[in-house]
Amino acid sequence: MLFSQLAEYFEKLEQTSSRLALIDILSELFKEVKAEEIAKVVYLIQGRVAPFYEPIEIGMAERTVAASIAKAYGIDREEVLKEYGRVGDLGVVAYKLSSLRDASKKLVPLRGKQGSKNIDSGSGAGMTVERVFEVLKEIAQITGEGTVEKKQALLVDLLQKANPISAKHLVRIPLGTSRLGVGDPTILDAFALAKLGDRKKRKELEGAYNKTSDLGLIGQVLWKKGLEGVKKLDVTVGRPIRSQLAERLPDAKTILEKFGGEVHIQYKYDGFRVQIHKNGDQVRLFSRNLEETTAMMPEIIEGVRKQIKAKTAILDSEALAFNPQSEEFLPFQETTKRRRKYKVAEMAIELPLKAFVFDVMYLDGRSLIDLSLRDRMRRLKEVITGDEVLIAQPGEFTKSEERINELFNDAITKGLEGLVCKKPDSTYEAGARNFNWVKLKRHSAGELKDTIDCVILGYIFGRGKRAEFGAGSLLVGVYDESKDEFVTVSKIGTGLTDEEWREIHKRADKIKVDHKPARVNSILVPSVWIKPEIVIEVLADEITKSPVHTAGKTDSEPGYALRFPRLVKFREADKKPEDATTVKELLEMYKLQFKK
Ligand code: ATP
């Protein structure tokens, strides 16, 4: 497939404001794509050249991209930057300059046929998706001396061969501002529609997705080996498994009832989730949202090498900062200082991490996710030797309500968040949030038991002092998993400092869009729509029914809204928009309010 054809599809995807249309456009595209190309097409749709969990970033600074555009079209970089200041998108700048170049070429015939073929590939001749992908990948992998110049030269070459629409979308990939707004479930829907004839068959692809987290791979196998092949895809060391997540219940009694009389209990540590993959001496770590975090935690890598004898293993854990002087575990605010790319070694000495290992999903060449929790805990006890860095947390099984309460109080006294209660006979359900795992947290009076992670969908201009920052309130939403849509739940104006308003405004301006994004479902229309990207943690007093919000809204029932919402903190470091609170969770939380 030619890159120019792909770019036409990108253009259509960008322009639609309906999610069903996204699926149709993608499926039309997928029908044209060959088996050898599908993985590459999928990664490019995601604005990448590898699956999300591989830390391969094309990463070019705006100034470098601007310089490449300038060179490709023979004008000054300052001119490019000036135009960028006007239109706010280097993709659009490249589009305009490329169109001007093409128009002028029509006026001034080029020297000879040969020349025109090489320089003016305005039609995109020769630029296959494959070729563009390879060059972008090469750009991503250049390191060492002269990196910037080399990356720039490759991008200049691509731009000179690209037609205007190709140039527009090409430029956004190294900048990381690809504005397609396509979520993983939507890609799966489109796979199902294109290859299995019905988007509802996405369900059949989800198992493989949860086990491999790699849509490119699923596409490739689906194209080459069909559904049967996809169903055979299994957990592998080196590919993160989508994290199992927890539901909420109000108290020990309800949990015991729900679980049929027996429950497995572990402490709930408040740090960051670390999925550990060991393959011989090679150790890789992944975050809750499947980003590679290996480089951030050298002491954990060392600990895995020393404490795990098994040749291959995948473990689930929570890493916490520890004060070596006082031998105390530290609160989240301290742990979070370890989420950094610089001065890693110094920080590892100052604030070393300990990993509380609460599950084992793979051991010595075999997936354990289909074993019961009881069996997995048995293996967990055997797999870790000592407790210097990795601390096995096999928990305990109990049938007693008193024991649960005792452990809960114990957890609170130790400064932990509470407990995670698990169903003894449940398997590890990758990617699922259901009642196999339940979090029991401390209740603070007058507030919901838990905060809600919301995605900012737009902002509404303010009056007076607020106007200075360009926003009076934020329109925020939660995620509807089944539809892969963001639905509104609140307008928030409280809890933000002037500094935070400025920050939001600055960031929102970079991702503002001129129409409602296709995956956003809203009755309210904000002054400015933004791409659903920024996740914030919100505290509210109550969840109420509301006719103006679309979260949980059906044809006959109103939606749900937050009463007295206020911002607690920004959460985007560890949560993608799709990791925000889901509609399903919101409804559970709504019901929980009535059970005191
Ligand atoms: P979620 O991860 O469920 O979307 P969240 O990020 O707001 O929600 P919490 O509500 O605090 O997190 O609880 C779930 C998280 O608790 C898990 O993702 C994991 O990182 C952490 N955790 C700590 N201890 C455990 C444990 N023993 N078992 C499972 N998870 C644990």
Side-chain angles (χ1 to χ4, degrees):
M1 169 176 261
L2 293 179
F3 186 78
S4 56
Q5 289 171 282
L6 183 62
E8 292 288 346
Y9 280 105
F10 280 13
E11 192 68 12
K12 282 194 209 162
L13 288 168
E14 187 187 35
Q15 274 160 14
T16 180
S17 52
S18 130
R19 191 181 92 89
L20 288 178
L22 282 184
I23 302 172
D24 286 339
I25 299 164
L26 280 173
S27 128
E28 225 181 280
L29 158 66
F30 290 160
K31 282 182 189 160
E32 286 192 53
V33 172
K34 291 208 262 324
E36 301 73 50
E37 300 166 325
I38 183 68
K40 295 182 175 118
V41 166
V42 168
Y43 299 139
L44 289 173
I45 290 171
Q46 297 173 321
R48 299 188 48 90
V49 286
F52 186 71
Y53 59 80
E54 292 293 351
I56 301 181
E57 303 292 339
I58 311 171
M60 288 176 75
E62 277 176 2
R63 298 193 73 79
T64 318
V65 173
S68 312
I69 295 174
K71 198 151 181 217
Y73 303 114
I75 69 165
D76 273 356
R77 188 176 70 170
E78 292 317 307
E79 283 296 309
V80 173
L81 287 171
K82 224 193 271 167
E83 187 61 16
Y84 174 43
R86 254 195 305 271
V87 299
D89 178 351
L90 280 171
V92 173
V93 177
Y95 173 84
K96 285 186 173 177
L97 290 170
S98 176
S99 311
L100 283 175
R101 175 201 63 183
D102 286 6
S104 69
K105 269 186 196 143
K106 279 186 193 118
L107 295 176
V108 187
L110 284 160
R111 310 137 285 160
K113 271 196 174 149
Q114 275 305 30
S116 70
K117 193 149 199 175
N118 275 336
I119 306 162
D120 168 30
S121 305
S123 61
M127 285 253 288
T128 59
V129 168
E130 185 130 34
R131 176 78 194 131
V132 173
F133 184 90
E134 292 310 331
V135 176
L136 288 173
K137 197 160 173 184
E138 202 182 327
I139 293 179
Q141 286 167 334
I142 295 174
T143 52
E145 215 175 301
T147 299
V148 174
E149 292 74 18
K150 286 181 199 157
K151 287 186 177 200
Q152 193 176 314
L154 288 173
L155 186 59
V156 169
D157 189 53
L158 284 182
L159 285 175
Q160 283 176 340
K161 291 178 181 140
N163 68 2
I165 288 181
S166 302
K168 172 175 167 187
H169 293 280
L170 197 54
V171 154
R172 289 174 179 171
I173 296 174
L175 285 172
T177 58
S178 233
R179 290 189 180 175
L180 301 175
V182 180
D184 289 2
T186 301
I187 295 183
L188 285 171
D189 271 342
F191 275 171
L193 184 59
K195 285 285 158 181
L196 309 172
D198 182 354
R199 76 180 165 90
K200 300 228 166 64
K201 293 201 172 152
R202 163 179 124 197
K203 290 258 164 300
E204 312 218 22
L205 304 171
E206 272 171 3
Y209 171 62
N210 289 328
K211 286 183 206 160
T212 67
S213 312
D214 185 347
L215 285 174
L217 173 78
I218 293 171
Q220 197 175 13
V221 173
L222 183 61
W223 262 240
K224 284 191 176 150
K225 298 186 180 154
L227 187 55
E228 283 317 301
V230 174
K231 287 192 169 160
K232 284 196 192 117
L233 284 171
D234 207 350
V235 170
T236 308
V237 179
R239 276 203 301 251
I241 304 171
R242 301 226 315 136
S243 299
Q244 173 152 4
L245 303 170
E247 273 284 359
R248 302 165 180 86
L249 282 174
D251 52 42
K253 187 162 175 275
T254 323
I255 295 176
L256 271 173
E257 276 165 17
K258 185 104 189 168
F259 285 15
E262 192 182 13
V263 42
H264 173 259
I265 301 174
Q266 289 167 326
Y267 287 131
K268 182 172 191 306
Y269 294 93
D270 191 19
F272 12 89
R273 192 156 182 176
V274 181
Q275 198 178 103
I276 301 170
H277 287 236
K278 176 178 191 282
N279 189 0
D281 257 355
Q282 208 205 359
V283 181
R284 293 177 75 183
L285 309 177
F286 299 97
S287 70
R288 178 197 179 288
N289 71 7
L290 314 180
E291 267 176 65
E292 178 155 18
T293 49
T294 308
M296 283 182 205
M297 307 175 199
E299 70 273 46
I300 294 193
I301 307 287
E302 208 39 43
V304 173
R305 286 189 188 129
K306 280 199 187 128
Q307 290 180 255
I308 304 219
K309 297 286 169 277
K311 194 164 175 299
T312 51
I314 303 179
L315 308 167
D316 212 344
S317 77
E318 185 86 357
L320 278 196
F322 181 73
N323 179 342
Q325 271 83 39
S326 65
E327 303 200 328
E328 280 171 318
F329 290 103
L330 298 172
F332 182 74
Q333 290 78 340
E334 291 297 307
T335 302
T336 199
K337 291 185 184 157
R338 291 298 308 275
R339 211 188 288 280
R340 53 162 63 216
K341 289 190 175 139
Y342 308 102
K343 293 207 177 158
V344 170
E346 284 101 311
M347 284 303 277
I349 293 167
E350 200 179 307
L351 270 186
L353 295 171
K354 303 268 173 187
F356 290 87
V357 182
F358 57 78
D359 217 324
V360 48
M361 295 90 97
Y362 190 94
L363 200 56
D364 280 327
R366 207 185 132 209
S367 164
L368 306 185
I369 64 169
D370 292 326
L371 295 187
S372 70
L373 179 72
R374 225 182 273 279
D375 286 341
R376 299 201 308 279
M377 290 304 108
R378 214 170 286 138
R379 279 161 217 241
L380 178 58
K381 284 188 201 153
E382 295 157 9
V383 70
I384 300 172
T385 48
D387 59 1
E388 296 149 71
V389 180
L390 302 192
I391 302 168
Q393 210 212 346
E396 75 173 63
F397 293 89
T398 183
K399 295 180 178 164
S400 148
E401 191 183 329
E402 288 73 46
R403 182 66 183 147
I404 304 177
N405 287 327
E406 190 174 75
L407 286 170
F408 180 76
N409 290 330
D410 188 30
I412 300 300
T413 314
K414 286 193 165 108
L416 305 175
E417 268 194 307
L419 302 176
V420 184
C421 302
K422 300 178 181 175
K423 203 167 173 178
D425 295 314
S426 60
T427 57
Y428 190 98
E429 282 191 56
R433 186 192 296 278
N434 56 29
F435 286 98
N436 286 341
W437 289 18
V438 171
K439 47 196 179 193
L440 196 57
K441 289 195 193 176
R442 188 153 50 166
H443 176 74
S444 27
E447 283 166 359
L448 281 173
K449 269 198 174 182
D450 205 352
T451 51
I452 293 164
D453 295 320
C454 295
V455 185
I456 305 180
L457 304 174
Y459 57 86
I460 298 140
F461 292 137
R463 281 188 220 130
K465 183 163 168 262
R466 287 279 175 76
E468 184 195 329
F469 312 120
S473 59
L474 303 169
L475 178 64
V476 301
V478 291
Y479 181 56
D480 189 329
E481 263 179 314
S482 56
K483 297 187 190 142
D484 189 20
E485 265 180 359
F486 298 94
V487 282
T488 72
V489 73
S490 194
K491 284 198 280 183
I492 300 185
T494 316
L496 287 93
T497 60
D498 289 358
E499 197 37 55
E500 279 167 333
W501 275 118
R502 267 191 211 104
E503 170 74 18
I504 286 198
H505 194 210
K506 207 167 89 196
R507 295 195 38 200
D509 262 1
K510 287 201 174 142
I511 49 174
K512 67 179 178 192
V513 280
D514 56 11
H515 59 256
K516 181 188 77 58
R519 287 193 300 151
V520 173
N521 174 356
S522 176
I523 298 167
L524 298 173
V525 179
S527 316
V528 177
W529 289 110
I530 67 168
K531 247 172 83 173
E533 254 180 27
I534 309 173
V535 181
I536 55 175
E537 189 174 338
V538 175
L539 191 65
D541 280 8
E542 225 185 307
I543 298 169
T544 53
K545 294 209 173 179
S546 154
V548 297
H549 287 288
T550 48
K553 186 177 168 0
T554 62
D555 290 343
S556 54
E557 290 290 318
Y560 293 81
L562 305 181
R563 181 160 178 264
F564 296 135
R566 50 222 178 258
L567 176 114
V568 181
K569 65 171 186 279
F570 288 84
R571 278 223 52 165
E572 81 265 44
D574 62 337
K575 288 213 168 179
K576 290 198 283 172
E578 290 83 2
D579 298 321
T581 298
T582 61
V583 169
K584 194 170 147 244
E585 281 180 89
L586 195 74
L587 298 191
E588 298 292 348
M589 290 170 87
Y590 176 78
K591 284 190 226 146
L592 269 183
Q593 297 177 142
F594 302 105
K595 284 191 201 160
K596 278 270 165 70

